[in-house]
Amino acid sequence: MTPPVSRPEPFEGPLYETARDVADAAGALTDACERASQSASPRLSALQLRALTAVRGSPRINLTRLAEEVGAAAPATSRLCDRLEAAGLLRRSRADDDRREIVLTVTQSGREILETAADRRTKAVYEILKHLSPGQRQDLLHGLQAFADAADEAKPSYGM
């Protein structure tokens, strides 16, 4: 007997409406964070920042795993690494235990760029949070934490 084909949830109804409202509301947050990150020097794209963040967070990450992390094809990720390496933000080196494997690490300059971008994002969010009451800030924080937890669980399914 053939197992039933699972059908995706329809993109309509109350949950879809909520998803659209959340995406619209989150746009203000992501826009503020992206603008703040873009004011760092050198100017890095959102993808470059994501790649540096992924490398910093995953010691001994290789090109294949980085491509999976950032959702890009291996050739595009290789070119991305070329640019980051040329800028002195990323280093490629041979793995100690397998000389065929290339591992990626963030340089000191790359770490400084990530710290500067994080500081600028924090300051941008701070300026916005000043316009919310303490209760609204707590509600926002709890909602975003719950969303982040759910996103970790859903990660394989939303990379459309």
Side-chain angles (χ1 to χ4, degrees):
M1 179 168 212
T2 306
V5 175
S6 68
R7 295 195 175 160
E9 281 187 51
F11 286 117
E12 56 189 47
L15 182 57
Y16 181 75
E17 298 298 321
T18 300
R20 187 174 57 211
D21 292 344
V22 168
D24 288 346
L29 176 61
T30 56
D31 185 50
C33 289
E34 285 178 17
R35 278 186 282 128
S37 293
Q38 291 302 307
S39 65
S41 179
R43 258 182 105 132
L44 300 178
S45 70
L47 180 60
Q48 289 172 318
L49 285 170
R50 246 182 31 239
L52 282 177
T53 301
V55 171
R56 182 185 60 187
S58 299
R60 299 185 40 82
I61 193 170
N62 62 23
L63 190 64
T64 302
R65 257 190 55 226
L66 179 60
E68 291 168 2
E69 286 286 320
V70 300
T77 305
S78 181
R79 289 188 301 274
L80 171 71
C81 289
D82 289 343
R83 289 188 297 275
L84 292 171
E85 191 173 30
L89 306 175
L90 184 76
R91 182 176 23 262
R92 296 180 207 205
S93 56
R94 299 214 178 269
D96 293 333
D97 56 341
D98 181 353
R99 304 298 292 165
R100 294 170 296 169
E101 183 178 19
I102 303 295
V103 293
L104 307 170
T105 54
V106 177
T107 65
Q108 179 61 35
S109 294
R111 286 190 295 277
E112 290 169 5
I113 290 290
L114 289 173
E115 288 172 20
T116 299
D119 287 344
R120 289 172 189 253
R121 283 192 307 270
T122 299
K123 289 174 184 168
V125 171
Y126 174 88
E127 290 300 319
I128 296 168
L129 290 177
K130 290 191 312 186
H131 298 277
L132 298 176
S133 71
Q136 289 172 317
R137 291 179 206 144
Q138 276 306 108
D139 290 346
L140 176 63
L141 179 58
H142 287 116
L144 288 173
Q145 286 171 332
F147 188 87
D149 292 343
D152 284 343
E153 292 176 27
K155 202 173 256 181
S157 67
Y158 70 80
M160 296 184 220

Coordinates of all heavy atoms in Angstrom, one line a residue, residues 103-159:
V103 N 39.5 24.2 5.7 CA 38.7 24.8 6.8 C 38.7 26.3 6.7 O 39.7 26.9 6.3 CB 39.0 24.2 8.2 CG1 38.8 22.7 8.3 CG2 40.5 24.6 8.5
L104 N 37.6 26.9 7.2 CA 37.5 28.4 7.1 C 37.5 28.9 8.5 O 36.9 28.3 9.4 CB 36.2 28.7 6.5 CG 35.9 28.1 5.1 CD1 34.5 28.4 4.7 CD2 36.9 28.7 4.1
T105 N 38.2 30.0 8.7 CA 38.2 30.7 10.0 C 38.1 32.2 9.7 O 38.5 32.7 8.7 CB 39.5 30.5 10.8 OG1 40.6 30.8 10.0 CG2 39.6 29.0 11.3
V106 N 37.5 32.9 10.7 CA 37.4 34.3 10.6 C 38.7 35.0 11.2 O 39.1 34.5 12.2 CB 36.1 34.8 11.4 CG1 36.0 36.4 11.4 CG2 34.9 34.2 10.9
T107 N 39.2 35.9 10.5 CA 40.4 36.6 10.9 C 40.0 37.6 12.1 O 38.9 37.9 12.3 CB 41.1 37.4 9.8 OG1 40.2 38.4 9.4 CG2 41.4 36.5 8.6
Q108 N 41.0 38.2 12.7 CA 40.8 39.2 13.7 C 40.0 40.4 13.1 O 39.1 40.9 13.7 CB 42.1 39.7 14.3 CG 42.0 40.8 15.3 CD 41.2 40.3 16.5 OE1 41.2 39.2 17.0 NE2 40.4 41.2 17.1
S109 N 40.4 40.8 11.9 CA 39.7 41.9 11.2 C 38.2 41.5 11.0 O 37.3 42.3 11.1 CB 40.3 42.2 9.8 OG 41.6 42.7 10.0
G110 N 38.0 40.2 10.6 CA 36.6 39.8 10.4 C 35.8 39.8 11.7 O 34.6 40.2 11.7
R111 N 36.4 39.4 12.8 CA 35.8 39.4 14.1 C 35.4 40.9 14.5 O 34.4 41.1 15.0 CB 36.6 38.7 15.2 CG 36.6 37.2 15.0 CD 37.3 36.5 16.2 NE 38.7 36.8 16.4 CZ 39.7 36.2 15.7 NH1 39.4 35.2 14.9 NH2 40.9 36.5 15.9
E112 N 36.3 41.8 14.2 CA 36.1 43.2 14.5 C 34.9 43.7 13.7 O 34.1 44.5 14.2 CB 37.4 44.0 14.3 CG 38.5 43.7 15.3 CD 39.8 44.3 15.0 OE1 39.9 45.1 13.9 OE2 40.8 44.1 15.7
I113 N 34.9 43.4 12.4 CA 33.7 43.8 11.6 C 32.4 43.3 12.2 O 31.4 44.0 12.2 CB 33.9 43.3 10.1 CG1 35.1 44.1 9.5 CG2 32.6 43.4 9.3 CD1 34.8 45.5 9.2
L114 N 32.4 42.0 12.5 CA 31.2 41.4 13.1 C 30.8 42.1 14.4 O 29.6 42.3 14.6 CB 31.4 39.9 13.3 CG 31.4 39.0 12.1 CD1 31.8 37.6 12.4 CD2 30.1 39.1 11.3
E115 N 31.8 42.4 15.2 CA 31.5 43.1 16.5 C 30.9 44.5 16.2 O 30.0 44.9 16.9 CB 32.7 43.2 17.4 CG 33.1 41.8 18.0 CD 34.4 41.9 18.7 OE1 34.9 43.0 19.0 OE2 35.0 40.8 18.9
T116 N 31.5 45.2 15.3 CA 31.1 46.5 14.9 C 29.6 46.5 14.4 O 28.8 47.3 14.8 CB 32.0 47.2 13.9 OG1 33.3 47.3 14.5 CG2 31.5 48.6 13.5
A117 N 29.4 45.5 13.5 CA 28.0 45.4 12.9 C 27.0 45.1 14.0 O 25.9 45.6 14.1 CB 28.0 44.3 11.9
A118 N 27.4 44.2 15.0 CA 26.5 43.8 16.1 C 26.2 45.1 17.0 O 25.1 45.3 17.4 CB 27.1 42.7 16.9
D119 N 27.3 45.8 17.2 CA 27.1 47.0 18.0 C 26.1 48.0 17.4 O 25.3 48.6 18.0 CB 28.4 47.7 18.3 CG 29.3 47.0 19.3 OD1 28.8 46.1 20.0 OD2 30.5 47.3 19.4
R120 N 26.3 48.2 16.1 CA 25.5 49.1 15.3 C 24.0 48.7 15.3 O 23.1 49.5 15.4 CB 26.0 49.4 13.9 CG 27.3 50.2 13.9 CD 27.9 50.2 12.5 NE 29.2 50.8 12.6 CZ 29.5 52.0 12.2 NH1 28.6 52.8 11.6 NH2 30.8 52.5 12.3
R121 N 23.8 47.4 15.1 CA 22.4 46.8 15.1 C 21.8 47.0 16.5 O 20.7 47.4 16.6 CB 22.5 45.3 14.8 CG 22.6 45.0 13.3 CD 22.4 43.5 13.0 NE 23.1 42.6 13.8 CZ 24.3 42.1 13.5 NH1 24.9 42.5 12.4 NH2 24.9 41.3 14.3
T122 N 22.6 46.8 17.5 CA 22.1 46.9 18.9 C 21.7 48.4 19.1 O 20.6 48.7 19.7 CB 23.1 46.5 19.9 OG1 23.4 45.1 19.7 CG2 22.6 46.7 21.4
K123 N 22.5 49.3 18.7 CA 22.2 50.7 18.9 C 20.9 51.1 18.1 O 20.1 51.9 18.5 CB 23.4 51.6 18.5 CG 24.5 51.5 19.5 CD 25.7 52.2 19.0 CE 26.8 52.0 20.1 NZ 28.1 52.4 19.6
A124 N 20.8 50.6 16.9 CA 19.6 50.9 16.1 C 18.3 50.4 16.7 O 17.3 51.1 16.8 CB 19.7 50.3 14.7
V125 N 18.4 49.2 17.2 CA 17.2 48.6 17.9 C 17.0 49.4 19.2 O 15.8 49.6 19.6 CB 17.5 47.1 18.2 CG1 16.4 46.5 19.1 CG2 17.5 46.3 16.9
Y126 N 18.0 49.8 19.9 CA 17.8 50.6 21.1 C 17.0 51.8 20.9 O 16.1 52.2 21.6 CB 19.2 50.9 21.7 CG 19.2 51.8 22.9 CD1 19.1 51.3 24.2 CD2 19.3 53.2 22.7 CE1 19.1 52.2 25.3 CE2 19.3 54.1 23.8 CZ 19.2 53.5 25.1 OH 19.2 54.4 26.1
E127 N 17.4 52.5 19.8 CA 16.7 53.8 19.4 C 15.2 53.5 19.2 O 14.4 54.4 19.5 CB 17.4 54.4 18.2 CG 18.8 55.0 18.5 CD 18.7 56.1 19.6 OE1 17.8 56.9 19.7 OE2 19.7 56.0 20.5
I128 N 14.9 52.4 18.6 CA 13.5 52.0 18.4 C 12.8 51.6 19.7 O 11.7 52.1 19.9 CB 13.4 50.9 17.3 CG1 13.9 51.5 16.0 CG2 11.9 50.4 17.1 CD1 14.2 50.4 14.9
L129 N 13.5 50.8 20.5 CA 12.9 50.3 21.7 C 12.5 51.5 22.7 O 11.6 51.3 23.5 CB 13.8 49.3 22.4 CG 13.9 48.0 21.7 CD1 14.9 47.1 22.5 CD2 12.6 47.3 21.6
K130 N 13.2 52.6 22.6 CA 12.9 53.7 23.4 C 11.5 54.2 23.3 O 10.9 54.8 24.2 CB 13.9 54.9 23.2 CG 15.3 54.6 23.6 CD 16.2 55.9 23.6 CE 16.2 56.7 22.3 NZ 17.2 57.8 22.3
H131 N 10.9 53.9 22.1 CA 9.5 54.3 21.8 C 8.5 53.4 22.3 O 7.3 53.6 22.0 CB 9.4 54.6 20.3 CG 10.3 55.7 19.8 ND1 10.0 57.0 19.9 CD2 11.5 55.6 19.3 CE1 11.0 57.7 19.5 NE2 11.9 56.9 19.1
L132 N 8.9 52.3 23.0 CA 7.9 51.3 23.5 C 7.9 51.3 25.0 O 8.9 51.7 25.6 CB 8.4 49.9 23.1 CG 8.4 49.6 21.6 CD1 8.9 48.1 21.3 CD2 7.0 49.7 20.9
S133 N 6.8 51.0 25.6 CA 6.7 50.9 27.0 C 7.5 49.6 27.5 O 7.8 48.7 26.7 CB 5.3 50.7 27.5 OG 4.8 49.5 27.1
P134 N 7.9 49.6 28.8 CA 8.6 48.4 29.3 C 7.8 47.1 29.1 O 8.4 46.1 28.7 CB 8.7 48.7 30.8 CG 8.8 50.2 30.9 CD 7.8 50.7 29.8
G135 N 6.5 47.2 29.2 CA 5.7 46.0 28.9 C 5.7 45.6 27.5 O 5.8 44.4 27.2
Q136 N 5.7 46.5 26.6 CA 5.7 46.2 25.2 C 7.1 45.6 24.8 O 7.2 44.7 24.0 CB 5.5 47.5 24.3 CG 4.1 48.0 24.4 CD 3.9 49.3 23.7 OE1 4.7 50.2 23.9 NE2 2.9 49.5 22.9
R137 N 8.1 46.1 25.5 CA 9.5 45.6 25.2 C 9.5 44.1 25.6 O 10.1 43.3 24.9 CB 10.5 46.4 26.0 CG 10.7 47.8 25.4 CD 11.8 48.5 26.2 NE 11.5 49.9 26.2 CZ 11.7 50.8 27.1 NH1 12.2 50.4 28.3 NH2 11.4 52.1 26.9
Q138 N 9.0 43.8 26.8 CA 9.0 42.4 27.3 C 8.2 41.5 26.4 O 8.6 40.4 26.1 CB 8.4 42.4 28.7 CG 9.5 42.7 29.8 CD 10.7 41.8 29.7 OE1 11.8 42.2 29.3 NE2 10.6 40.5 30.0
D139 N 7.0 42.0 26.0 CA 6.2 41.2 25.1 C 6.9 40.9 23.8 O 6.9 39.8 23.2 CB 4.9 41.9 24.7 CG 3.9 42.0 25.9 OD1 4.1 41.3 26.9 OD2 2.9 42.8 25.9
L140 N 7.6 42.0 23.2 CA 8.3 41.8 22.0 C 9.5 40.8 22.2 O 9.6 39.9 21.4 CB 8.9 43.1 21.6 CG 9.8 43.1 20.3 CD1 9.1 42.7 19.1 CD2 10.5 44.5 20.1
L141 N 10.2 40.9 23.3 CA 11.3 40.0 23.5 C 10.8 38.5 23.7 O 11.4 37.6 23.0 CB 12.0 40.4 24.8 CG 13.2 39.5 25.2 CD1 14.2 39.4 24.1 CD2 13.8 40.0 26.5
H142 N 9.7 38.3 24.4 CA 9.2 37.0 24.6 C 8.7 36.4 23.2 O 9.0 35.2 22.9 CB 8.1 36.9 25.6 CG 8.5 37.1 27.0 ND1 8.2 38.2 27.8 CD2 9.4 36.3 27.8 CE1 8.8 38.0 29.0 NE2 9.5 36.9 29.0
G143 N 8.0 37.2 22.5 CA 7.6 36.8 21.2 C 8.7 36.4 20.2 O 8.7 35.4 19.5
L144 N 9.7 37.3 20.2 CA 10.9 37.0 19.3 C 11.7 35.8 19.8 O 12.1 35.0 18.9 CB 11.8 38.2 19.3 CG 11.3 39.4 18.5 CD1 12.2 40.6 18.6 CD2 11.1 39.0 17.0
Q145 N 11.8 35.6 21.1 CA 12.4 34.4 21.6 C 11.7 33.1 21.2 O 12.3 32.1 20.7 CB 12.6 34.4 23.1 CG 13.7 35.4 23.5 CD 13.8 35.6 25.0 OE1 12.8 35.5 25.7 NE2 14.9 36.0 25.5
A146 N 10.3 33.1 21.3 CA 9.5 32.0 20.9 C 9.6 31.8 19.4 O 9.7 30.6 18.9 CB 8.1 32.2 21.3
F147 N 9.7 32.9 18.6 CA 9.8 32.8 17.2 C 11.2 32.1 16.8 O 11.2 31.3 15.9 CB 9.7 34.2 16.5 CG 9.6 34.1 15.0 CD1 8.4 33.9 14.4 CD2 10.8 34.3 14.3 CE1 8.3 33.9 13.0 CE2 10.7 34.2 12.9 CZ 9.5 34.0 12.3
A148 N 12.2 32.6 17.5 CA 13.6 32.0 17.2 C 13.6 30.5 17.5 O 14.2 29.8 16.7 CB 14.6 32.8 18.0
D149 N 13.0 30.1 18.6 CA 12.9 28.7 18.9 C 12.2 27.9 17.9 O 12.6 26.8 17.4 CB 12.3 28.5 20.3 CG 13.1 29.0 21.5 OD1 14.3 29.3 21.3 OD2 12.5 29.2 22.6
A150 N 11.0 28.4 17.4 CA 10.3 27.8 16.4 C 11.0 27.7 15.1 O 11.0 26.7 14.3 CB 8.9 28.5 16.2
A151 N 11.8 28.8 14.8 CA 12.5 28.8 13.5 C 13.6 27.8 13.5 O 13.9 27.1 12.5 CB 13.2 30.2 13.4
D152 N 14.2 27.5 14.7 CA 15.2 26.5 14.8 C 14.6 25.1 14.5 O 15.2 24.3 13.8 CB 15.9 26.4 16.2 CG 16.9 27.5 16.4 OD1 17.4 28.1 15.4 OD2 17.2 27.8 17.5
E153 N 13.4 24.9 15.0 CA 12.7 23.6 14.7 C 12.3 23.5 13.3 O 12.3 22.4 12.7 CB 11.5 23.5 15.6 CG 11.8 23.3 17.1 CD 10.6 23.3 18.0 OE1 9.5 22.9 17.5 OE2 10.7 23.7 19.1
A154 N 11.9 24.6 12.7 CA 11.4 24.6 11.3 C 12.4 24.7 10.2 O 12.1 24.6 9.0 CB 10.3 25.7 11.1
K155 N 13.7 25.0 10.6 CA 14.7 25.4 9.6 C 14.7 24.5 8.4 O 14.8 25.1 7.3 CB 16.1 25.3 10.3 CG 17.1 26.2 9.6 CD 18.4 26.3 10.4 CE 18.5 27.6 11.0 NZ 19.6 27.9 11.8
P156 N 14.7 23.2 8.5 CA 14.7 22.4 7.2 C 13.5 22.7 6.3 O 13.7 22.5 5.1 CB 14.7 21.0 7.7 CG 15.1 21.0 9.1 CD 14.7 22.3 9.6
S157 N 12.4 23.1 6.8 CA 11.2 23.2 5.9 C 11.0 24.6 5.3 O 10.2 24.7 4.4 CB 10.0 22.7 6.7 OG 9.7 23.7 7.8
Y158 N 11.6 25.6 5.8 CA 11.2 27.0 5.3 C 12.2 27.5 4.3 O 12.1 28.6 3.8 CB 10.9 28.0 6.4 CG 12.1 28.4 7.2 CD1 13.0 29.4 6.7 CD2 12.4 27.9 8.5 CE1 14.1 29.8 7.5 CE2 13.4 28.4 9.3 CZ 14.3 29.3 8.7 OH 15.3 29.8 9.5
G159 N 13.3 26.8 4.0 CA 14.2 27.3 3.0 C 13.7 27.2 1.6 O 14.4 26.6 0.7

